Amino acid sequence: MTEHKVKVLGFGDNVVDMYEHSHIMYPGGNCVNLSVYSKMYGVERTAYMGYFGDDDIAEYIISVMDKLGIEMIKCKQLEGESGWSKCTLKDGDRVFGDYNQGGIRGKTPYILDRFDLTYMKEFDFVHSGNYCYTESQLSKMKAAGIKISFDFSDDSSKEYYEQYAQYVDYAFCSFDGTDKEAEEHLKFILSLGPELASVTRGSKGCMMYDGNQFYVQPAKLIDNVVDTMGAGDSFLAIFMDSYIDGLHNDIEKSDAITRALQDAAEFAAEICRIDGAFGYGIPYKD
């Protein structure tokens, strides 16, 4: 496996995805997934920073991440319930149901101190998202010179973008609309401050904008899709890893973007062959 000289930190959510049709649960969460996919891709350093509960779910997620070699030295365990999300599969596509809003993590806002920020500055970028409850800390991270990637998902309001995109360097979201509508959405995001913005569009692939040109990456279609859980997260993770690696190797920005989009599409397609976001499922009881 090729090692990529990139250092990645996921800051925010950890959950279990509870598959109601099979009663199997899998570790996940946007930021956990980013760390794990980056590890699979072969980056130099992968870490996760977040709050865990103190229940069996937390012990399960921590044990899997420890087995995978994810750095967790800045994590904390709090007294309370861990995050969970219930879902099912329909023709291989995951459909979300009930969730507990992050458990104790959703009730305990992060307050980063100078030592946390110093730690974050060791990484090429720090990733978070709109289900991470980290919004209040973005301005502090930006002021410290930390490069931030952020997943706005498919449900961020115009007001949410206007409030938080100004602190983000690399903005990602899911988008369901025409090509023209996707282009206008990307222009809107970049007008707020990010240097790159991307919309993933399911089977339509991905569109990205850097302020100068639009990039279109078709989805890589595969047979025998098992589970689409994690497809978007894996695309985001490997795009960022490959893009930063390209810049480190003095590849022209536009060429680095094009290569990273291709790498991301190939990796995301393979993730659809895995149960859960990245496997490691265990039975659970209601």
Side-chain angles (χ1 to χ4, degrees):
M1 181 172 62
T2 302
E3 182 177 80
H4 303 277
K5 299 295 184 180
V6 181
K7 299 174 183 178
V8 178
L9 173 63
F11 169 49
D13 58 337
N14 63 83
V15 302
V16 289
D17 296 311
M18 308 175 83
Y19 282 46
E20 296 184 282
H21 63 287
S22 63
H23 275 74
I24 301 292
M25 66 180 183
Y26 300 86
N30 185 240
C31 296
V32 165
N33 291 345
L34 175 116
S35 300
V36 171
Y37 295 141
S38 295
K39 188 74 173 183
M40 292 167 66
Y41 186 61
V43 306
E44 180 180 10
R45 183 180 177 191
T46 60
Y48 169 72
M49 180 176 178
Y51 290 154
F52 292 100
D54 64 350
D55 51 14
D56 291 342
I57 286 176
E59 295 304 321
Y60 159 58
I61 301 172
I62 291 168
S63 68
V64 171
M65 294 179 72
D66 190 51
K67 183 183 297 184
L68 293 171
I70 307 299
E71 181 180 313
M72 294 182 285
I73 60 175
K74 277 290 187 174
C75 290
K76 294 181 180 179
Q77 274 193 281
L78 306 176
E79 186 176 342
E81 184 181 41
S82 293
W84 52 260
S85 174
K86 294 186 177 180
C87 60
T88 189
L89 289 179
K90 185 176 181 180
D91 298 325
D93 195 16
R94 86 284 188 271
V95 179
F96 286 107
D98 194 19
Y99 71 106
N100 70 340
Q101 298 181 315
I104 189 64
R105 179 174 52 79
K107 300 170 183 167
T108 312
Y110 251 100
I111 301 177
L112 297 171
D113 60 29
R114 66 177 65 187
F115 305 108
D116 296 323
L117 294 170
T118 297
Y119 174 74
M120 287 180 161
K121 289 169 74 171
E122 296 176 8
F123 296 88
D124 289 297
F125 69 94
V126 176
H127 176 75
S128 199
N130 68 341
Y131 287 105
C132 295
Y133 305 100
T134 57
E135 291 92 342
S136 65
Q137 303 303 292
L138 295 177
S139 61
K140 192 183 299 185
M141 294 163 63
K142 184 73 171 178
I146 295 161
K147 288 285 191 178
I148 301 169
S149 71
F150 196 89
D151 190 349
F152 288 90
S153 191
D154 61 352
D155 54 2
S156 290
S157 66
K158 182 175 182 286
E159 292 73 23
Y160 186 91
Y161 276 106
E162 290 172 340
Q163 187 170 2
Y164 298 114
Q166 61 185 305
Y167 306 119
V168 172
D169 299 282
Y170 313 106
F172 297 84
C173 68
S174 302
F175 187 83
D176 184 17
T178 66
D179 291 352
K180 185 63 175 177
E181 289 169 338
E183 289 180 359
E184 291 304 312
H185 189 57
L186 289 170
K187 288 179 181 178
F188 163 67
I189 296 172
L190 243 68
S191 74
L192 301 173
E195 62 183 75
L196 279 181
S198 167
V199 293
T200 50
R201 309 171 69 201
S203 61
K204 292 183 179 180
C206 170
M207 184 183 293
M208 183 166 282
Y209 184 51
D210 66 357
N212 295 313
Q213 68 180 96
F214 292 98
Y215 303 80
V216 176
Q217 174 61 48
K220 182 179 179 183
L221 303 180
I222 60 170
D223 295 326
N224 302 319
V225 170
V226 173
D227 187 351
T228 60
M229 182 74 77
D233 291 351
S234 62
F235 188 96
L236 186 162
I238 274 43
F239 172 81
M240 284 301 304
D241 296 344
S242 179
Y243 175 65
I244 297 299
D245 186 54
L247 297 184
H248 284 345
N249 288 290
D250 296 322
I251 296 176
E252 189 73 27
K253 180 180 177 181
S254 60
D255 293 336
I257 291 173
T258 300
R259 186 190 74 165
L261 286 170
Q262 293 171 350
D263 290 346
E266 291 175 5
F267 190 96
E270 293 305 314
I271 289 301
C272 293
R273 299 184 192 275
I274 300 174
D275 288 310
F278 53 86
Y280 293 90
I282 61 171
Y284 72 90
K285 296 180 180 179
D286 289 326

